[in-house]
Amino acid sequence: YELLSLFTPMNILQKRLIAAGLSSVLAVAAVTQIIPQEGQIVDNQGNHVAYIDMVGVATACWGLKGKDMHGNRIVPGTKYTQQECETTLVKDLKKFNDTVNKAVTVEMKPYEEIAYTSLAWNIGTAAFSNSTLVKQLNAGDREAACKGILDWNRATFSSHGAKTQIKNGEKCTVKKDGNYSCTVRGLTNRRNHEFEVCEGRDAEVNAALKELEALEKPSEAIKEWRSELPPAPVETNVPS
């Protein structure tokens, strides 16, 4: 019955991302954290349509900003295929994960790596590497590091945008450049989710990681089972 775990229904997109070169853990990060959390617009043909996010930045696929996979400036309305977006996600997620592993000098649990990679994807590699939570994590204070994720729930707005945020019940503080740093409900929800993942309390992530563990175990079980088989009978030529 243990062999049945070989056929557990892993997310189809997760399978494609692994086949494209993502590690199993990063594929879990992609399908449980990054893709669900990033805004996206998809047309009737399944193409991703570039859009302007809530802080006025042109965005494509799943959080891609600046230039697209072809080196062109992202323009709202430009369409990208699912394949283009998946290929870019694999390439970029590896880079962000590399940054996380370079910044963090202690061994991370899979769920911690998922949470911190998701955070770095959203706030940027420089902000993550220089953050207080990385210092806390490297010092061995895992609890404080996970709680530090919750601090990253703000975005920069103009005075007009800040008024809208305040009307929506968010908190804003003025910055030196005259803009405003405001809490964002979507970011607060995202940070709360990553915090739960970081502490190993997210059911979806834990189930996905458990499935990966189950997929790895049968291969070892099969090896052990095969090693216990009696040797194959030696064929002998019996005269007729």
Side-chain angles (χ1 to χ4, degrees), residues 121-238:
W121 177 274
N122 185 234
I123 69 175
T125 55
F128 176 82
S129 297
N130 297 317
S131 65
T132 299
L133 69 84
V134 168
K135 295 181 178 65
Q136 293 170 326
L137 181 58
N138 288 339
D141 195 343
R142 295 178 181 274
E143 182 177 355
C146 284
K147 287 182 179 178
I149 291 175
L150 300 174
D151 295 334
W152 294 90
N153 67 335
R154 289 176 172 265
T156 299
F157 293 85
S158 64
S159 59
H160 177 73
K163 289 179 181 179
T164 301
Q165 288 300 103
I166 293 172
K167 285 183 180 180
N168 291 333
E170 303 294 337
K171 298 179 180 179
C172 297
T173 55
V174 65
K175 301 173 67 175
K176 292 181 179 179
D177 61 4
N179 288 314
Y180 289 79
S181 174
C182 303
T183 58
V184 178
R185 187 171 303 169
L187 290 179
T188 299
N189 293 338
R190 184 169 185 163
R191 298 293 91 90
N192 285 334
H193 191 189
E194 289 166 344
F195 173 56
E196 289 186 355
V197 173
C198 188
E199 290 202 323
R201 296 187 289 110
D202 184 83
E204 183 182 13
V205 169
N206 290 345
L209 291 175
K210 186 176 181 180
E211 180 181 359
L212 291 176
E213 183 181 356
L215 286 170
E216 292 173 357
K217 284 182 178 180
S219 62
E220 296 302 319
I222 291 172
K223 289 179 182 178
E224 183 179 352
W225 173 71
R226 285 177 175 170
S227 69
E228 294 175 354
L229 288 175
V234 178
E235 293 185 4
T236 58
N237 293 323
V238 180

Side-chain angles (χ1 to χ4, degrees), residues 32-54:
T32 66
Q33 303 301 301
I34 294 170
I35 291 175
Q37 296 290 347
E38 293 290 346
Q40 58 179 305
I41 298 177
V42 180
D43 67 13
N44 294 332
Q45 287 72 46
N47 296 308
H48 292 246
V49 183
Y51 63 96
I52 298 294
D53 71 5
M54 68 176 301

